[in-house]
Amino acid sequence: MAEQARTALAAADGRAAAPTAPPASPAARALLPAAADGVELVARFFRALGDPARLRLLEFLLPAEHTVSECVQHIGLSQGRVSAHLACLADCGYVQARRAGRFAYYTVADPRVADLVMLARSLAADNAAALADCVRIAPVPSGRP
């Protein structure tokens, strides 16, 4: 009913009605946080993935566990920066560390993270032109930790 009313108003103005997203499934509605603090929690979840270095580290850890030294070699950042990023990912629950002697081996804590990363890559590929042209989200400065 609301959709019909909006379409009628838009037609009266001579504008095309803006398409709306399909309603969320009952399962999705049950997962979405109802309270404002729930939305903040989900936003924090995504902010942890918003740094390119953390995302590269996470992708590197998806197939197998690695030491900090291996992560440093793969990412190309200093040991201190890699450790800080790994600590952030661990604090947010994305990775976990296993100690063996003086080494810490990092691995992805939840297999659903792989699904999330693959879905994000697929969505980004499908929207590559729009993402490249987006002026509202500034590129990450290269010197950022």
Side-chain angles (χ1 to χ4, degrees):
M1 185 63 141
E3 178 67 27
Q4 291 171 337
R6 202 184 71 219
T7 303
L9 281 173
D13 277 351
R15 298 177 287 139
T20 59
S25 69
R29 280 194 300 272
L31 292 174
L32 295 174
D37 59 341
V39 172
E40 271 300 312
L41 188 62
V42 173
R44 284 182 71 110
F45 175 87
F46 281 109
R47 278 198 303 270
L49 296 177
D51 186 278
R54 284 195 294 270
L55 192 53
R56 286 188 355 241
L57 278 168
L58 195 58
E59 287 182 344
F60 180 59
L61 294 171
L62 284 173
E65 68 179 10
H66 294 281
T67 64
V68 174
S69 297
E70 291 169 333
C71 291
V72 166
Q73 186 177 15
H74 179 77
I75 300 300
L77 295 176
S78 70
Q79 186 272 330
R81 282 191 174 182
V82 169
S83 291
H85 286 305
L86 287 169
C88 174
L89 290 170
D91 290 348
C92 292
Y94 287 105
V95 301
Q96 58 192 14
R98 176 181 64 84
R99 295 258 174 219
R102 58 179 255 241
F103 295 101
Y105 293 87
Y106 286 86
T107 188
V108 173
D110 187 326
R112 295 176 296 175
V113 171
D115 297 334
L116 177 66
V117 170
M118 294 309 296
L119 178 60
R121 280 194 165 272
S122 175
L123 288 166
D126 290 349
N127 295 292
L131 289 168
D133 292 341
C134 181
V135 296
R136 306 226 185 259
I137 301 173
V140 176
S142 60
R144 182 176 167 194

